[in-house]
Amino acid sequence: MTDTDDAVRAFLEERGLEGDLLEGGLAGLIERWEEIVSQVERGYELTIDDYLNDVDLRDILEAVWPLASDEQRRPLRARRELADNRYRAVTQDCPPLWGEAVTEEMGFTREK
């Protein structure tokens, strides 16, 4: 295991990820983000709390991305960008769903 593998894993453990998401590392996060986007494209059928939890994965992906090596990121970059573009194509801009206090505390922006 490389130092960047260790850094990615440590971050994911710190965020409380377990199972397949933890074991899958960066590639596993991309794969799960693609699955979430597919669910949104079909018409997300779960609750708002499930949705917020699912899209929080994109924030985790953004935070862990710089911890990975370029070698790890390179084959995944196009998939990440495609999934992000697909997500943007089927969603619309709206006020923060987490609420203003959480948005401010976490430093979220509409772009983020």
Side-chain angles (χ1 to χ4, degrees):
M1 193 171 274
T2 68
D3 289 344
T4 54
D5 290 331
D6 290 342
V8 167
R9 184 176 182 90
F11 179 87
L12 297 178
E13 287 175 341
E14 183 179 307
R15 288 294 296 259
L17 274 69
E18 301 174 342
D20 291 342
L21 284 178
L22 179 62
E23 297 304 320
L26 190 61
L29 292 176
I30 295 289
E31 184 175 333
R32 179 64 185 130
W33 178 235
E34 291 168 327
E35 292 168 4
I36 291 166
V37 170
S38 292
Q39 289 177 336
V40 172
E41 288 172 326
R42 289 190 306 270
Y44 197 84
E45 296 183 3
L46 301 176
T47 69
I48 188 67
D49 290 327
D50 292 312
Y51 177 76
L52 292 172
N53 187 53
D54 278 347
V55 297
D56 189 46
L57 182 109
R58 184 58 183 85
D59 183 53
I60 293 169
L61 179 57
E62 187 69 21
V64 78
W65 192 257
L67 301 176
S69 69
D70 190 50
E71 182 178 302
Q72 290 171 305
R73 291 188 305 253
R74 190 177 308 114
L76 301 171
R77 185 172 283 116
R79 287 176 58 191
R80 182 189 71 163
E81 290 173 6
L82 178 60
D84 286 348
N85 289 336
R86 289 172 44 216
Y87 180 79
R88 286 187 204 100
V90 296
T91 58
Q92 59 184 332
D93 196 22
C94 67
L97 297 176
W98 282 112
E100 293 297 331
V102 172
T103 299
E104 186 174 319
E105 178 184 331
M106 298 297 292
F108 293 147
T109 65
R110 289 184 185 273
E111 295 79 26
K112 188 175 178 187

